[in-house]
Amino acid sequence: MAEDAEKPFASALIGAAVLGLFAVIGALLVGLSFEGTADRIAQNEREALLTQLNAILPATEYDNQLLQDYLDVSAPDLLGAQQTRVYRARKADQPVAVIFSPVIANRYSGAINLVVGIRQDGRLAGVRVLSHRETPGLGDKIEARRNPWILGFNNRSLQNPAEDAWKVRRDGGVFDQFTGATITPRAVVAAIKKALLYHRAEQASLFRASDEKREPADG
Ligand SMILES: Cc1cc2nc3c(=O)[nH]c(=O)nc-3n(C[C@H](O)[C@H](O)[C@H](O)COP(=O)(O)O)c2cc1C
């Protein structure tokens, strides 16, 4: 009789134990797959960033690990952002270019985030818009996928055009504005010019800083 009374209790205990086991296995699986997903997301983000940087400076032009060779600088007056990351491209240990991300132009509907690549000789490797909130059909022509306008900065420098011609045509400069939308391109031209001025002033220190940061050799 006593044995019969214990049976439901024992089977309830076994049921609870099995349930508990499944719960633990389930939690472990979720944990593992979350970790795997987080790694994959981080990897995807790195690849997306590198693709973006390589659109400005092709991978064939440098041989260092661009994503690992950077410096964070703060020059809000010239770069527009509180902090800007400076990726340094080198070939055979010689400086090739730097890529600033972001350079911010503050404009019509908020910040326009730019990536600006500048070669060692002061020529622009290229400029791309990372994000903006300008008006579709007006200010959004700054995006390379909508209009080739932004590609017109390739190879420009503070000598080409001369510094005082770094303006849109309406203001007496050489860069086109868009029909009915002068404000956005004016802001972008000004932001790129300021990034070039920053580069001219700080170029040497940007690369020198990396040498100081290098790990000392063993011993
Ligand atoms: C609703 C609205 C949205 C606008 N968006 C933009 C814009 O994103 N970028 C821009 O440069 N101008 C924009 N404009 C136009 C500007 O207010 C301004 O008129 C223009 O930039 C001046 O250029 P224009 O002298 O060539 O006409 C917008 C105007 C309106 C009414």
Side-chain angles (χ1 to χ4, degrees), residues 108-109 133-136 138-140 170 177-186:
Y108 199 74
S109 332
R133 293 171 54 213
E134 303 299 284
T135 312
L138 287 170
D140 68 346
R170 156 115 7 136
Q177 57 271 342
F178 311 134
T179 308
T182 301
I183 293 178
T184 307
R186 181 185 283 146

Side-chain angles (χ1 to χ4, degrees), residues 57 61-66 69-71 73 86-100 117-122 198-199 201-214:
L57 189 73
E61 298 201 24
Y62 62 91
D63 61 9
N64 61 326
Q65 296 293 321
L66 205 51
D69 195 347
Y70 63 80
L71 189 71
V73 299
V86 187
Y87 295 98
R88 293 167 302 196
R90 310 159 193 267
K91 194 154 199 175
D93 252 358
Q94 293 306 306
V96 170
V98 285
I99 304 180
F100 295 101
I118 307 178
R119 293 179 192 282
Q120 196 58 6
D121 63 5
Y198 176 84
H199 178 260
E202 299 296 333
Q203 181 178 25
S205 70
L206 294 178
F207 275 98
R208 202 179 319 125
S210 88
D211 298 333
E212 285 159 12
K213 256 180 65 179
R214 264 182 200 157

